[in-house]
């Protein structure tokens, strides 16, 4: 897949900004060129799984997504899906900050 460096850079960006860690592993291979990769995303320091994205290794097509709190439809390819997750986490972090400010002001 030509986007492998983009995927890694987006995962690293997500990890640094949101204090997460990630790993990619093979989820399925049929020996005929159909290979699925699985991205697992964990929160730090508890190592609790926050998300899982399964995608086709050659085309980048997203097959399945589970991400804590994410309710939108999955994007078609893995790069778009990671951008959606980064945006989702930024909005969630901003909402949490606004809530903390409101509580402390009360």
């Amino acid at each position: 897949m030509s986007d492998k460096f983009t995927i890694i850079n987006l995962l690293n960006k997500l990890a640094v900004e949101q204090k997460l860690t990630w790993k990619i592993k093979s989820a399925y291979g049929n020996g005929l060129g159909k290979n699925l990769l699985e991205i697992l995303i964990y929160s730090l320091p508890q190592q609790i799984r926050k998300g899982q994205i399964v995608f086709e290794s050659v085309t980048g097509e997203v097959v399945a997504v589970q991400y804590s709190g994410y309710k939108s439809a999955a994007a078609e390819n893995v790069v778009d899906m990671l951008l959606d997750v980064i945006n989702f986490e930024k909005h969630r972090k901003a909402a949490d900050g606004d809530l903390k400010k409101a509580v402390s002001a009360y």
Side-chain angles (χ1 to χ4, degrees):
M1 173 175 213
S2 62
D3 291 333
K4 66 182 173 183
F5 295 113
T6 304
I7 293 168
I8 291 170
N9 286 336
L10 288 172
L11 285 167
N12 286 336
K13 178 178 178 60
L14 179 66
V16 169
E17 289 178 357
Q18 304 301 325
K19 295 183 178 75
L20 303 171
T21 188
W22 59 270
K23 68 180 175 179
I24 297 178
K25 66 179 191 170
S26 177
Y28 171 81
N30 68 359
L32 302 172
K34 177 80 170 181
N35 295 307
L36 298 180
L37 297 177
E38 176 181 50
I39 299 171
L40 297 171
I41 302 169
Y42 299 92
S43 64
L44 289 176
Q46 305 92 347
Q47 292 290 318
I48 297 170
R49 190 169 89 182
K50 288 191 64 125
Q52 171 187 28
I53 302 170
V54 179
F55 66 99
E56 211 282 321
S57 66
V58 175
T59 64
E61 177 185 357
V62 174
V63 177
V65 175
Q66 292 180 327
Y67 197 87
S68 176
Y70 186 81
K71 304 284 189 233
S72 299
E76 283 188 26
N77 75 38
V78 65
V79 172
D80 289 341
M81 188 70 239
L82 288 170
L83 289 169
D84 288 350
V85 168
I86 289 169
N87 247 351
F88 170 74
E89 284 292 352
K90 281 183 180 178
H91 284 83
R92 178 160 56 183
K93 190 174 187 179
D96 288 348
D98 291 345
L99 180 62
K100 287 178 186 174
K101 285 179 188 174
V103 169
S104 65
Y106 180 72

